[in-house]
């Protein structure tokens, strides 16, 4: 069980770069398919189940939601990709806004891509990673729902994901806040 958590608060939602808050602290945008556990990740790090709204309906996050963690860093929860009951025009607009944000936001320290431990890496996960790598943006992977697979297979799953995506791969469980301390320490180290 973890003891570490950073006092966190929701700041603002923004649709596009020009509406993003002015901060000088490092920022970590969260990338991932809908329902991969981004909101639960925020809540687990903050040790506050009500901070980020979680939903069983994929595609609920439509804006960039900013959370300040004890003035150490900001987490930006981005709309999930791969599922959204919205028009093609709305999706194209999101994509344009998100690209502008990811490419021009100077506070971004590192992107965090989320992969569900229970499933194979999906096509749109690979596409997102290819785009990020082509733009030479720093990125790490957080493997969520690690509590849903057997203890014996955790290392194999992590190794497989590392082999396919490269870079640092962190296990995570919002359910029992397992690996929470290590994740917070990892992010704080990146901030230095």
């Amino acid at each position: 069980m973890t003891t570490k958590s950073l006092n966190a608060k929701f700041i603002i939602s923004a649709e596009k770069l020009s509406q993003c808050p002015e901060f000088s602290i490092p920022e970590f945008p969260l990338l991932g398919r809908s329902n991969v556990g981004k909101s639960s990740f925020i809540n687990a790090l903050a040790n506050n189940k009500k901070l980020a709204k979680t939903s069983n309906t994929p595609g609920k996050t439509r804006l960039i939601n900013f959370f300040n963690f004890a003035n150490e860093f900001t987490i930006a929860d981005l709309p999930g990709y791969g599922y959204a009951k919205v028009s093609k025009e709305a999706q194209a607009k999101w994509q344009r806004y998100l690209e502008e944000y990811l490419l021009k936001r100077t506070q971004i320290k590192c992107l965090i891509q989320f992969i569900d431990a229970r499933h194979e890496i999906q096509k749109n996960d690979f596409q997102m990673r290819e785009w990020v790598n082509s733009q030479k943006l720093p990125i790490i992977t957080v493997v969520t729902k690690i509590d849903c697979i057997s203890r014996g297979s955790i290392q194999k799953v992590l190794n497989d994901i590392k082999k396919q995506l490269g870079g640092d791969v962190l296990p995570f469980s919002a359910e029992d806040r397992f690996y929470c301390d290590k994740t917070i320490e990892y992010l704080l180290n990146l901030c230095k």
Side-chain angles (χ1 to χ4, degrees):
M1 200 57 191
T2 184
T3 51
K4 194 175 288 182
S5 62
L6 295 172
N7 188 16
K9 61 179 187 277
F10 169 74
I11 307 155
I12 194 170
S13 296
E15 187 181 29
K16 55 189 173 188
L17 184 65
S18 59
Q19 301 166 345
C20 292
E22 284 304 317
F23 282 131
S24 53
I25 56 175
E27 196 160 289
F28 298 101
L30 310 185
L31 302 170
R33 293 187 4 262
S34 295
N35 276 24
V36 75
K38 298 191 305 291
S39 300
S40 299
F41 172 82
I42 293 167
N43 291 343
L45 287 191
N47 201 12
N48 176 354
K49 284 192 162 85
K50 294 190 169 84
L51 184 62
K53 289 181 177 60
T54 58
S55 167
N56 291 331
T57 314
K60 269 287 192 235
T61 304
R62 302 277 168 97
L63 300 164
I64 307 170
N65 294 312
F66 291 89
F67 299 88
N68 181 328
F69 280 76
N71 285 327
E72 294 285 347
F73 56 81
T74 307
I75 284 183
D77 188 13
L78 306 183
Y81 53 80
Y83 182 103
K85 287 185 175 170
V86 294
S87 67
K88 286 272 182 272
E89 298 87 74
Q91 283 186 9
K93 188 170 84 168
W94 281 357
Q95 198 170 346
R96 216 171 47 245
Y97 286 159
L98 288 178
E99 275 187 23
E100 183 191 29
Y101 162 77
L102 291 171
L103 295 176
K104 295 183 179 168
R105 179 85 166 153
T106 54
Q107 291 87 337
I108 292 174
K109 191 74 179 173
C110 183
L111 308 179
I112 304 175
Q113 185 175 22
F114 287 75
I115 303 293
D116 188 328
R118 303 168 301 175
H119 307 298
E120 294 286 308
I121 301 173
Q122 306 292 304
K123 185 179 167 196
N124 46 18
D125 293 320
F126 283 118
Q127 287 169 334
M128 176 57 82
R129 194 58 159 240
E130 276 171 28
W131 181 82
V132 168
N133 290 341
S134 75
Q135 302 297 331
K136 298 186 171 38
L137 300 172
I139 189 165
I140 62 166
T141 306
V142 166
V143 182
T144 59
K145 309 187 187 194
I146 212 88
D147 54 287
C148 298
I149 61 174
S150 71
R151 289 238 162 193
S153 60
I154 289 176
Q155 202 50 56
K156 183 192 180 315
V157 167
L158 296 175
N159 291 343
D160 287 351
I161 290 171
K162 188 168 178 61
K163 200 159 75 187
Q164 293 178 78
L165 295 179
D168 287 351
V169 176
L170 309 179
F172 198 82
S173 164
E175 199 51 46
D176 51 17
R177 295 189 74 237
F178 208 50
Y179 306 106
C180 236
D181 281 359
K182 283 196 171 93
T183 306
I184 289 171
E185 272 163 33
Y186 184 93
L187 296 179
L188 289 172
N189 280 331
L190 284 183
C191 293
K192 285 175 185 158

